[in-house]
Amino acid sequence: MEQTEELKAAARKAGADLVGVADLGPFKAERSILSPHILDRFTNAVSVAIHLDDTIVDGIEGAPTPDYVRHYRAVNATLDVITAQLVKCISQRGFSALAIPASQIVDETNLLASISHKAVARLAGIGWQGKSLLIISPQYGPRIRLSTLLTDMPLSADAPLKNRCGTCNECTKACPASAIKNIGTKDRYETRDDALYFSRCVKQTLQFKASPGIGAQVCGVCVKVCPFGK
Ligand code: B12
């Protein structure tokens, strides 16, 4: 559909490296969003991704670096600018759109955002959900940050990609918290605990947050070691 291609071109022009479209039907069926009533207004989700800087990701040696944290913050800000521009572009065509922040935890107790960018990106064909629970794109592996916008603009949805993790266990071996269970999935995990010893990941990222020069709940080791990103 011409409109879909125009929107994707606008996303790339604004700075997105990858862009895909997902049908919101599966989210509506599961009411899988913190404020499900929002979904009633929209039909599609647009997933945008920015490729992380390889020099910075390669600099991670078992723990996040101050450079990685600065880059993480800058990329989040850029993603928010891109989705804001797309909202404008969509409203100029007479439709509604809502940008979801790149990095915002809405439920602090359960560590949940209003919608999972990874779930949207998987359905939008940006990548598959790897053993690390991250979205692995064929182009950049998991070295991407994601964002989402919801819209009622009629768009043609992309198809999810086949999981290509196979027998690889590089993320499992490298995880500093031994949090990755090394369990593969053909499409998706039902819960985070199906893929991770989730509390170990949370504890480790909190420890990194307290380290000098970090100050954010990040890690990046499973991002760095994935062979698809190298
Ligand atoms: C809270 C949070 C955290 C928490 C909890 C992690 C977690 N897995 O939920 C902590 C602080 C521990 C964390 C750590 C990390 N995070 Co984080 N985090 C988030 C945040 C803000 C919300 C995640 C959320 O709500 N999860 C809810 C659960 C239920 O969803 P989920 O994790 O996506 O997993 C489920 C769905 O994807 C589902 N699924 C798949 N397909 C479908 C389809 C449908 C219809 C449905 C309903 C579900 C579904 O299967 C999974 C199991 O249920 C997101 C940003 C966002 N808005 O999405 C970033 C995000 C997930 N984090 C990201 C990253 C990179 C990291 C870290 C590497 C840290 C870092 N930046 O260095 C680690 C990696 C940990 C890991 N291996 O999972 C990236 C992932 C990028 C990618 N390539 O996939 C995101 C998307 C941020 C971004 N803007 O790019 N993070």
Side-chain angles (χ1 to χ4, degrees), residues 116-215:
S116 163
H117 294 319
K118 288 187 285 186
V120 174
R122 188 183 73 74
L123 290 173
I126 297 288
W128 65 92
Q129 195 157 37
K131 289 178 184 171
S132 59
L133 204 67
L134 296 173
I135 294 299
I136 320 281
S137 64
Q139 298 89 338
Y140 313 118
R143 294 175 179 217
I144 49 174
R145 284 193 71 76
L146 300 162
S147 202
T148 302
L149 70 82
L150 310 178
T151 182
D152 60 1
M153 189 180 192
L155 297 169
S156 34
D158 291 289
L161 302 182
K162 206 169 158 257
N163 189 308
R164 288 164 58 191
C165 286
T167 56
C168 178
N169 62 354
E170 292 299 324
C171 58
T172 306
K173 285 190 292 178
C175 176
S178 301
I180 301 171
K181 292 183 174 175
N182 195 35
I183 293 173
T185 174
K186 275 200 177 129
D187 45 27
R188 60 175 275 200
Y189 298 96
E190 284 308 313
T191 70
R192 296 183 283 204
D193 288 293
D194 288 352
L196 302 180
Y197 297 102
F198 185 60
S199 59
R200 294 185 192 174
C201 175
V202 175
K203 196 173 158 205
Q204 180 69 75
T205 51
L206 284 172
Q207 272 172 18
F208 286 142
K209 183 177 181 181
S211 308
I214 302 301

Side-chain angles (χ1 to χ4, degrees), residues 22-33 35-45 115 119-120 123 150-153 188:
D23 182 350
L24 277 176
F27 288 93
K28 292 186 187 193
E30 296 193 32
R31 310 295 284 166
S32 182
I33 179 166
S35 311
H37 64 277
I38 291 177
L39 290 176
D40 298 339
R41 293 164 165 254
F42 302 113
T43 48
N44 291 300
I115 190 167
V120 174
L123 290 173
L150 310 178
T151 182
D152 60 1
M153 189 180 192
R188 60 175 275 200

